[in-house]
Amino acid sequence: MSENRRDSAFFMTATTQFGLEEVLAQELRDLGAKIEKIGQRAVEFTGTKQLLYEANLWCRTAVRILKPFAHFLAPDEKALYREVSRLDWSEYLSPDQTFAITAVVNKSTFEHSLYVAQLTKDAIVDQFRNRTGVRPSVDVKTPDIRLHLHMIENEVVLSLDASGDSLHRRGYRQQTNAAPLNEALAAGLLLLAGWDGKKTLIDPMCGSGTLLTEAALIAQRIAPGLYHQGKFAFENWPDFDRALWESVKMDARSARLEEPQAYLAGSDLLPEFIELARQNVEAADLEDYIRLSVRDVKDAKAPAKEAPGLVVMNPPYGERIGDETEMEGLYKTIGDTLKTSFQGYDAYIFTGNLQAAKRVGLKASRRIPLFNGPIDCRLLKYELYQGTRKAARPEQE
C-alpha cells in the first residue's frame, strides 16, 4: 500500500452512551481527529487509517467505531434491494468470510429492522452467487465482517463496523456483582468529573471495582483496547495494514507509565465484592496501583497523608419494592460520611434513585443526566468545603 493511501482522511462515526458524547469528542480530538458533528450517542469525525486503529485502542467512552461507505434513499423494498445490489461487495467481503448485519431503523416505511437486515443480506449473497457461484455465510455471533445499516426515514447509511465486539467489553472483568457499571460508562463518569489521573481518588462503595480499574487505566496511560479479547473487526478488512497496526500497538504499550501516578483506594461492606474487585484488578495487571479493603461506607475516611481529591461512587439504587426506607437511610449515611470525613474533596455520586439522593443532605453543584442501561440516572457533584463555607448554588438541570 502506498504511503499516500495510508494518509488519506475519511469519515467515521464513533458511538457511545447518552451523555458521554462531548467526552468522546474530546478523546477523539486528543487523538488528532477532526470533529464534524456531535449527535445523540454518536460523534462523526474524519481521520486516517492510523486514527481508526488508535480510536479502537484508546477511546475509553466509545462503544463502536464505524466507517460509513454508502449512502442512498430506499423508499421501498425494491429500492433497498436494488441500491444494495449496486455496490461492489467484493471490495468489503470475500466469499470465504462470514458476515453479519446490524440494522437500526427509525421513522421509516419499513417497520422491522430484522426485515431490513434480511433484505440487505439477500442482496449481498445474491450478488456473490451470480458473479462467482459461491456465497459468504452469515454468522451472527462472531462474523469476520460486521456491517451496520442505519435507516432514518428512508435514508440509508451502510457502514463497516471496525470494532467487532463492543469496545466497553475490555476483557479484564472476570465476573461482576449484580448491577455492574459498564466500563465505558465508568470511564465516562471519571472524565465528566474532570479527574486528571493525578489526584487522590476514593470509591467507598466500590463493588467489583470497575470505577477504580478504569481510573488506574487513565492514571497509568494504559490503552483499554490492549485488553480486547480476540481480533478487532478491521483486522479482517481487505485493506488491513498489519505493519501500521503493529506500530500503533507498540506505541500504546510504550505509553504505559509504570510508576503509580495517583493514590487510588476502594472499599466495600461485602468481602465477596472486594474479592471480585481483587480478581478484576489482578486480571487487568493493576494490583500495584489500587488499594482495596472491606469497610462499611459509614466508616470510610480520607487517607491521612494524601491531599484531598475526588470521592466517586455508584451506590445501589434499590430496584426492589420495599427498598425505599433502606435506600433513604443509606443515602443519608453517605451524606454524613462525606460531610465528616471528606472535607476539601469533591464528591460525585452516580445514582438512578433521585428520591433517595435527596437524603444526602448536601446541595449538588452539578447534575449531569446519564443512563445506566435503561435507568435514568444523574451524576451529582458535591463540593465538600473545609469548615462551614456555604455550598455553591446548584446549577439548573
Side-chain angles (χ1 to χ4, degrees):
M1 181 180 298
S2 70
E3 202 50 39
N4 60 359
R5 260 307 270 115
R6 190 187 262 192
D7 288 345
S8 54
F10 50 87
F11 265 94
M12 292 174 257
T13 302
T15 63
T16 186
Q17 294 182 231
F18 172 83
L20 299 181
E21 299 90 351
E22 294 287 348
V23 176
L24 175 57
Q26 191 53 52
E27 286 198 88
L28 289 162
R29 269 187 215 105
D30 292 345
L31 290 171
K34 179 170 180 277
I35 304 299
E36 304 291 343
K37 183 183 164 207
I38 299 176
Q40 269 241 328
R41 297 198 297 275
V43 178
E44 294 172 25
F45 63 103
T46 45
T48 59
K49 186 180 286 191
Q50 177 167 338
L51 183 81
L52 172 87
Y53 295 174
E54 287 174 346
N56 276 284
L57 209 50
W58 281 102
C59 283
R60 299 177 193 282
T61 56
V63 175
R64 306 191 166 278
I65 311 291
L66 304 172
K67 182 184 178 182
F69 63 89
H71 183 227
F72 52 81
L73 276 172
D76 54 38
E77 294 169 32
K78 271 205 180 94
L80 178 64
Y81 185 91
R82 184 182 66 239
E83 293 297 334
V84 174
S85 301
R86 276 185 178 159
L87 298 164
D88 181 359
W89 284 98
S90 66
E91 284 182 25
Y92 310 104
L93 181 63
S94 68
D96 58 350
Q97 285 182 311
T98 58
F99 75 107
I101 300 166
T102 305
V104 178
V105 177
N106 288 322
K107 304 187 207 132
S108 149
T109 47
F110 293 90
E111 305 235 324
H112 294 294
S113 49
L114 226 57
Y115 178 64
V116 169
Q118 185 67 36
L119 208 56
T120 306
K121 182 210 71 144
D122 290 345
I124 296 169
V125 166
D126 292 349
Q127 183 184 99
F128 274 100
R129 208 188 268 123
N130 297 340
R131 286 185 183 177
T132 64
V134 283
R135 49 151 288 184
S137 308
V138 170
D139 174 353
V140 289
K141 283 221 157 56
T142 53
D144 298 319
I145 303 291
R146 284 177 191 265
L147 300 166
H148 202 275
L149 182 149
H150 196 227
M151 190 175 206
I152 290 194
E153 287 164 358
N154 295 316
E155 273 196 66
V156 176
V157 177
L158 275 168
S159 305
L160 286 162
D161 178 346
S163 306
D165 207 9
S166 170
L167 296 175
H168 83 269
R169 293 198 187 99
R170 308 276 200 245
Y172 64 71
R173 256 204 334 217
Q174 301 305 291
Q175 48 212 333
T176 57
N177 50 328
L181 212 50
N182 94 44
E183 296 92 319
L185 178 55
L189 297 177
L190 294 163
L191 295 171
L192 282 169
W195 189 64
D196 59 1
K198 299 271 184 272
K199 289 194 186 92
T200 305
L201 189 130
I202 310 292
D203 180 354
M205 301 187 82
C206 71
S208 57
T210 309
L211 273 167
L212 289 166
T213 307
E214 290 298 318
L217 297 185
I218 293 170
Q220 302 307 131
R221 275 222 308 255
I222 298 169
L226 290 172
Y227 296 97
H228 193 81
Q229 307 289 294
K231 277 182 172 181
F232 286 95
F234 62 74
E235 295 181 65
N236 296 318
W237 292 2
D239 70 348
F240 174 52
D241 184 338
R242 186 171 298 285
L244 177 63
W245 174 227
E246 290 304 329
S247 99
V248 164
K249 278 196 296 192
M250 204 160 78
D251 287 349
R253 288 194 190 103
S254 60
R256 178 182 175 136
L257 303 168
E258 291 304 327
E259 204 47 44
Q261 299 297 301
Y263 183 98
L264 304 174
S267 52
D268 204 285
L269 175 60
L270 296 172
E272 54 268 36
F273 281 1
I274 291 299
E275 185 45 44
L276 274 183
R278 203 160 294 204
Q279 288 170 21
N280 291 335
V281 166
E282 274 177 24
D285 193 21
L286 296 170
E287 58 270 36
D288 294 349
Y289 307 105
I290 298 170
R291 296 161 174 80
L292 294 167
S293 54
V294 177
R295 187 177 297 132
D296 192 324
V297 68
K298 71 178 190 310
D299 302 322
K301 289 204 174 15
K305 293 185 178 142
E306 303 297 326
L310 297 188
V311 185
V312 185
M313 64 178 106
N314 172 40
Y317 313 156
E319 321 295 41
R320 298 188 306 278
I321 306 297
D323 277 350
E324 290 89 347
T325 330
E326 190 190 331
M327 284 300 121
E328 294 202 351
L330 174 65
Y331 280 73
K332 183 183 180 306
T333 302
I334 290 171
D336 292 346
T337 298
L338 293 177
K339 280 176 270 198
T340 54
S341 302
F342 289 94
Q343 287 190 357
Y345 277 70
D346 282 338
Y348 286 84
I349 297 178
F350 180 60
T351 181
N353 190 331
L354 302 178
Q355 201 48 44
K358 291 176 181 165
R359 298 299 304 275
V360 169
L362 290 159
K363 264 200 158 65
S365 61
R366 279 178 78 194
R367 306 170 65 88
I368 304 170
L370 294 157
F371 281 87
N372 188 0
I375 305 166
D376 185 14
C377 293
R378 296 289 178 279
L379 179 62
L380 304 168
K381 178 185 183 181
Y382 303 97
E383 295 170 33
L384 310 170
Y385 297 113
Q386 302 277 12
T388 56
R389 241 177 92 195
K390 283 207 167 65
R393 206 176 40 160
E395 288 176 20
Q396 290 304 303
E397 200 173 299

